[in-house]
């Protein structure tokens, strides 16, 4: 099992924070609709600020989760790109063959210049 390369997975999976982001967006949307029609918010300043404070926290958390998701996707892309490079162009045998082909090509070009 030494050759098995297990991919690292974060403790919180991408699906989990996407669900949390969706809940935050839906929650803030429901709060926006209810808040526009709920008369009790107009009667108490504390209830007003508390209600819209929770709304702001939900909305900002959804934006933060989206930014985290973008960063995670970019990081995974970079890691996958690096792994693909190591498997293809980064392989030592391939690099030796490539150097040999380049040297052979240069020798041919050098002979053509003398003629």
């Amino acid at each position: 099992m030494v050759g098995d390369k297990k991919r690292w997975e974060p403790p919180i999976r991408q699906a989990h924070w996407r669900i949390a982001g969706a809940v935050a967006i839906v929650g803030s949307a429901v709060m926006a609709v209810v808040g526009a029609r709920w008369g009790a918010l107009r009667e108490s300043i504390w209830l007003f600020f508390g209600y819209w404070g929770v709304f702001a926290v939900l909305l900002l958390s959804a934006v933060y989760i989206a930014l985290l998701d973008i960063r995670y996707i970019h990081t995974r892309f970079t890691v996958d790109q690096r792994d693909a490079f190591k498997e293809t162009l980064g392989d030592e045998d391939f690099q030796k063959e490539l150097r040999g082909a380049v040297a052979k090509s240069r020798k041919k070009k050098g002979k053509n210049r003398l003629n």
Side-chain angles (χ1 to χ4, degrees):
M1 296 243 167
V2 175
D4 286 344
K5 197 174 187 183
K6 189 172 182 181
R7 187 175 208 145
W8 178 82
E9 288 293 329
I12 299 174
R13 297 187 188 269
Q14 188 177 21
H16 295 152
W17 73 64
R18 284 186 171 178
I19 291 170
V23 167
I25 289 172
V26 169
S28 61
V30 168
M31 287 185 76
V33 171
V34 171
R37 299 172 188 219
W38 192 20
L41 294 176
R42 292 177 187 83
E43 297 171 8
S44 171
I45 190 82
W46 295 109
L47 185 59
F48 177 83
F49 283 121
Y51 185 86
W52 291 111
V54 171
F55 168 80
V57 167
L58 283 174
L59 191 61
L60 290 175
S61 66
V63 171
Y64 181 70
I65 289 169
L67 292 174
L68 282 178
D69 194 40
I70 290 169
R71 183 174 180 186
Y72 178 79
I73 290 169
H74 181 264
T75 303
R76 292 306 290 196
F77 175 77
T78 304
V79 168
D80 290 343
Q81 191 177 28
R82 184 192 66 205
D83 291 345
F85 176 79
K86 284 182 179 179
E87 290 176 7
T88 56
L89 297 175
D91 185 38
E92 289 183 29
D93 294 333
F94 179 76
Q95 287 180 359
K96 287 178 186 176
E97 291 290 328
L98 189 60
R99 285 187 201 113
V102 168
K104 191 175 180 181
S105 173
R106 286 183 181 164
K107 283 183 182 179
K108 283 185 179 180
K109 286 183 181 178
K111 287 182 182 177
N112 289 340
R113 289 183 186 168
L114 296 176
N115 291 336

